[in-house]
Amino acid sequence: MARKLTYIFFISIGVSILVGLFIPHEHVHFWWEKIPAFDAIFGFLGCIVIVLGAKALGHHGIQKDEDYYD
Amino acid sequence: MIKAIPPAFFFILGAMLIPFFKGKVKQLYMLMIPALAFLDILYLTPGTSWVYNFLGYDLIFCQVDRLSLVVGYIFIIIGFLAILYSLHVKQDGQHIAAFLYVGSSLGVVFAGDLFSLYAFWEIMAVTSVFLIWFQKDRESLNAGFRYILMHIFGGCSLLAGIIIYTISKGSISVVQMQPGFAYWLILIGFGLNTAFIPIHTWLPDAYPEGTITGSVFLSVFTTKTGVYALARCFAGTDFIAYMGGIMAVYGVIFALLQNDARRLLAYHIVSQVGYMVAGIGIGTALGVNGGIAHVFNHILYKALLFMGMGSVIYMTGKRKLTDMGGLAKFMPVTCITFLIAALSISGAPGFNGFVSKGMVIASAVEAHMPALELMLILASVGTFLSFVKLGYFAFFAKNPEISSKEAPFNMQLAMGLTAFLCVFIGLYPKILFDILPYNVVSYHPFTLSHIFGVIQLFMLAGVAFILAKAMVVPHRATILDFDYFYRMGGRGLIWLSAVPMSNLRTTLQVRFSRAVYIIARLARNPISILEILTAYVYLRITKGLRYVSGYSSGETYDEDLYRRPMGVGVLLAIIFLFAFALIYFIF
């Protein structure tokens, strides 16, 4: 079941990216909107950046014990 | 025709009568108030009414235009839903605080002058803090005090700004501000309620400590009246637009580190309010419309999220993600409505967040602010990630120890209705577009490239979540924020007044009372003053002379003082013994 869901998930990613390539962008304002599958790339990289950013902040001193202020 | 009444009055006067009703009648009464207010707001026509002259200024309680109407509609709708959600609560005090809070927020929205705006602004702060204190534990008491202290600071700044503005301009009408000293003071006042970084800390500090039902009210009104006030007075300021972008990203990053479910939601308020602030700051018709549309939609899904987490906490007593998990099969209604809210806040197509978030981002593109656009998209990725995390750890993660029942019927009904509105506006946004501040909405949300863009964004964020799942597992921890500086500053202030200042006070008090004692003694017999003075001077002089001459009166420690007589005695004894022995041997 879980394996099947994973397959469906990855297939639908592929389909959405493929379909996305053939959809014209209405108004291109910035250069990166011309990159194929820009949203997918940005979603993946953005997610990694946010997780790593949060973890880095946590490790560099803002993550303390629960009773830190008591 | 009867003049329409300012909607604030329904709630403020209605609150007074709550204690006089019991049981079902009370519940009916409490639901009737927002219903009446909604009928009333439908009769409001653009223009000013309820004007009173006060000290030569016109106080306007009912200034109606498209902007105040749209915010008024949603405040009353969510007031109704949140009251429905809290119908089971037995303490009248909580209901009264909530009604006054809703009423004063509506007062701010329809205020046509800065004085009455300020008055309602302060009533909001004072009544909302009771929704935190009614939780009645130590954390909520402390958090409530921190909350009210910060709001008093913001209120003072706002008042100072208003006074300077009034004196320099001679007018108290609520209009677009011009840069100057008053401008910044008023901006700090508004910005504190809107959770500008770094004066946002009251929000994630206090909202998780509120009562289950109180937090639903809290999540709605304070920040959104702030956004409304910004839209009135500060639309189209670049600084505010970028502040919005910073808030959006900052809120998401801090949300990801949280373990307390409602604190996580509170950081998402900061983040989502960032979108509204960005739209207002861009200031174009599309930007302001998008910001206000986001106010409308955000109120619905954020209240729904707080309702969902509230019912989880109400039924299980657990508020931390590390203690939750596996609740989907015990609380299906809560779970489904929560997922609808999560999809709405993430901006999934077909839910209301998709429409308004798209408008704000499109307005950033239109205004040629590429950095802002990327920040807002990044925050949107993070929001999705964060709600995948929250949904997973609350409802689907394995937790064999947990069991629970579904929440009371009134809570389920409130969640169901709110979820319905989220989907309804998501599928039929025209109903929202028709009431936005700028009449002509030239935005088309459902273009193929927008829909597929968002789908790709979320799917790949989902892949990244699966890869990085181990890194977003919640931990038991306190996350420091800017509140560290405020708390340490506060502690420093307390130390300063408790130790050095207090010592200074004691010293001064001792010196002073001794002086008083001496003067009182001398005053009994003034003639003796001379005598005493002479004796004192003599004493001082002799003491000084002794010191100079090195003469010791025995006051200083002398180690030979007692050792010498004893030593001399022993020495004499030894000498006599020696002499005796000598004489004995010789003779």
Side-chain angles (χ1 to χ4, degrees):
Chain A
M1 181 65 185
R3 181 176 287 265
K4 217 177 211 172
L5 278 178
T6 319
Y7 280 137
I8 293 172
F9 181 56
F10 279 102
I11 288 168
S12 50
I13 290 174
V15 170
S16 78
I17 291 176
L18 272 181
V19 174
L21 293 181
F22 294 105
I23 297 172
H25 228 288
E26 294 92 36
H27 317 283
V28 176
H29 286 82
F30 305 124
W31 57 266
W32 55 76
E33 284 169 33
K34 288 182 210 149
I35 299 174
F38 168 73
D39 292 298
I41 298 165
F42 192 84
F44 187 76
L45 292 182
C47 199
I48 301 283
V49 165
I50 286 180
V51 171
L52 290 182
K55 278 285 135 185
L57 270 177
H59 282 297
H60 288 94
I62 68 159
Q63 190 161 341
K64 299 283 183 195
D65 289 340
E66 268 191 323
D67 51 0
Y68 179 75
Y69 282 124
D70 295 330
Chain B
M1 199 190 123
I2 311 166
K3 204 162 57 165
I5 302 166
F9 291 2
F10 282 92
F11 286 91
I12 291 176
L13 298 176
M16 312 294 171
L17 295 177
I18 289 174
F20 298 107
F21 295 99
K22 289 264 178 298
K24 292 264 179 261
V25 184
K26 179 195 277 187
Q27 299 190 335
L28 198 67
Y29 170 75
M30 291 201 313
L31 290 176
M32 222 177 63
I33 296 280
L36 280 177
F38 194 75
L39 283 180
D40 176 68
I41 199 175
L42 293 178
Y43 276 102
L44 286 179
T45 42
T48 49
S49 52
W50 294 76
V51 183
Y52 295 96
N53 198 282
F54 172 74
L55 302 177
Y57 293 106
D58 280 339
L59 297 188
I60 304 163
F61 287 109
C62 201
Q63 174 152 317
V64 183
D65 60 6
R66 290 182 70 93
L67 175 60
S68 51
L69 274 179
V70 61
V71 180
Y73 289 138
I74 187 60
F75 275 11
I76 294 175
I77 291 170
I78 205 66
F80 178 82
L81 293 167
I83 289 164
L84 177 63
Y85 181 79
S86 57
L87 273 188
H88 63 280
V89 172
K90 293 276 180 285
Q91 293 155 314
D92 285 340
Q94 266 199 64
H95 291 307
I96 293 171
F99 268 68
L100 290 176
Y101 181 37
V102 178
S104 50
S105 309
L106 282 165
V108 171
V109 171
F110 288 100
D113 67 285
L114 290 167
F115 285 173
S116 56
L117 181 141
Y118 172 76
F120 284 121
W121 194 270
E122 290 295 289
I123 299 173
M124 266 170 66
V126 173
T127 50
S128 57
V129 74
F130 284 95
L131 296 173
I132 302 162
W133 279 339
F134 263 105
Q135 181 68 14
K136 292 183 176 167
D137 53 24
R138 198 171 66 90
E139 280 77 23
S140 65
L141 188 70
N142 292 345
F145 272 115
R146 291 193 290 267
Y147 173 88
I148 197 74
L149 278 176
M150 288 197 72
H151 277 283
I152 288 171
F153 167 74
C156 288
S157 175
L158 178 62
L159 180 62
I162 288 175
I163 291 171
I164 294 172
Y165 176 81
T166 309
I167 289 171
S168 60
K169 291 271 176 2
S171 142
I172 58 166
S173 49
V174 183
V175 288
Q176 189 79 17
M177 294 287 157
Q178 304 303 325
F181 190 50
Y183 174 93
W184 290 106
L185 286 173
I186 293 176
L187 185 59
I188 290 174
F190 288 167
L192 192 126
N193 272 31
T194 322
F196 278 13
I197 313 292
I199 42 177
H200 66 288
T201 58
W202 55 272
L203 196 161
D205 184 22
Y207 283 12
E209 307 298 344
T211 63
I212 300 294
T213 55
S215 284
V216 177
F217 287 97
L218 288 171
S219 75
V220 173
F221 293 102
T222 303
T223 44
K224 271 43 130 222
T225 39
V227 173
Y228 164 82
L230 287 179
R232 274 253 174 264
C233 303
F234 294 96
T237 316
D238 275 0
F239 164 75
I240 293 176
Y242 285 105
M243 174 56 80
I246 293 168
M247 283 164 70
V249 176
Y250 187 93
V252 154
I253 288 180
F254 274 74
L256 213 57
L257 290 165
Q258 303 302 319
N259 185 26
D260 184 313
R262 287 193 294 173
R263 184 154 288 137
L264 190 154
L265 294 181
Y267 271 108
H268 276 292
I269 296 182
V270 176
S271 172
Q272 293 297 310
V273 170
Y275 284 92
M276 305 165 202
V277 170
I280 305 285
I282 292 165
T284 56
L286 183 60
V288 173
N289 269 350
I292 296 298
H294 208 53
V295 167
F296 199 98
N297 291 334
H298 171 85
I299 284 177
L300 289 171
Y301 59 67
K302 183 57 76 175
L304 181 53
L305 289 167
F306 267 89
M307 288 179 189
M309 276 301 128
S311 57
V312 166
I313 296 169
Y314 184 63
M315 299 313 293
T316 63
K318 298 181 191 330
R319 52 186 285 183
K320 289 178 179 158
L321 285 181
T322 40
D323 302 330
M324 292 180 188
L327 286 166
K329 61 173 181 275
F330 299 108
M331 309 179 84
V333 175
T334 307
C335 177
I336 289 167
T337 53
F338 181 87
L339 290 181
I340 289 173
L343 288 167
S344 302
I345 192 175
S346 310
F351 297 89
N352 61 2
F354 176 75
V355 177
S356 47
K357 202 181 274 189
M359 286 171 89
V360 175
I361 295 175
S363 73
V365 175
E366 205 185 69
H368 284 279
M369 295 167 123
L372 187 62
E373 187 217 358
L374 290 183
M375 275 154 106
L376 294 178
I377 299 178
L378 184 69
S380 151
V381 175
T383 308
F384 177 73
L385 179 73
S386 190
F387 279 91
V388 171
K389 171 191 163 179
L390 181 59
Y392 176 77
F393 284 105
F395 292 105
F396 299 106
K398 286 193 178 63
N399 183 352
E401 291 166 13
I402 211 152
S403 79
S404 171
K405 283 203 294 265
E406 187 53 272
F409 179 69
N410 64 307
M411 289 170 124
Q412 289 185 41
L413 187 63
M415 291 190 283
L417 287 174
T418 319
F420 168 74
L421 286 176
C422 287
V423 178
F424 181 67
I425 293 173
L427 295 175
Y428 187 65
K430 190 178 177 301
I431 195 167
L432 175 59
F433 288 170
D434 284 346
I435 56 171
L436 288 178
Y438 289 90
N439 211 342
V440 186
V441 179
S442 59
Y443 177 71
H444 303 287
F446 300 115
T447 62
L448 278 178
S449 70
H450 187 197
I451 292 174
F452 272 90
V454 170
I455 288 177
Q456 287 179 17
L457 201 70
F458 287 173
M459 281 188 156
L460 269 293
V463 173
F465 175 78
I466 294 168
L467 292 178
K469 204 170 104 184
M471 293 182 78
V472 293
V473 171
H475 294 287
R476 295 180 176 281
T478 300
I479 305 298
L480 307 187
D481 197 338
F482 279 97
D483 63 340
Y484 177 81
F485 300 105
Y486 307 146
R487 285 175 190 244
M488 292 306 152
R491 281 182 195 185
L493 195 69
I494 288 171
W495 176 83
L496 193 73
S497 48
V499 183
M501 295 315 252
S502 177
N503 285 352
L504 182 68
R505 181 189 62 80
T506 347
T507 320
L508 284 179
Q509 191 183 340
V510 167
R511 289 273 163 82
F512 191 70
S513 51
R514 192 184 288 161
V516 168
Y517 172 76
I518 292 169
I519 290 168
R521 279 290 294 269
L522 295 176
R524 265 190 234 154
N525 188 2
I527 299 161
S528 70
I529 292 178
L530 261 180
E531 217 173 293
I532 290 171
L533 204 64
T534 332
Y536 182 76
V537 168
Y538 171 74
L539 208 67
R540 278 278 147 189
I541 289 170
T542 47
K543 209 173 177 184
L545 286 176
R546 273 191 205 155
Y547 179 77
V548 171
S549 63
Y551 171 81
S552 165
S553 61
E555 279 159 15
T556 50
Y557 176 69
D558 181 4
E559 58 182 7
D560 290 335
L561 189 65
Y562 302 111
R563 194 161 57 178
R564 194 178 288 140
M566 189 68 86
V568 170
V570 173
L571 185 68
L572 284 176
I574 290 171
I575 289 170
F576 279 124
L577 198 64
F578 179 74
F580 176 74
L582 201 68
I583 293 162
Y584 183 80
F585 275 114
I586 293 173
F587 306 103

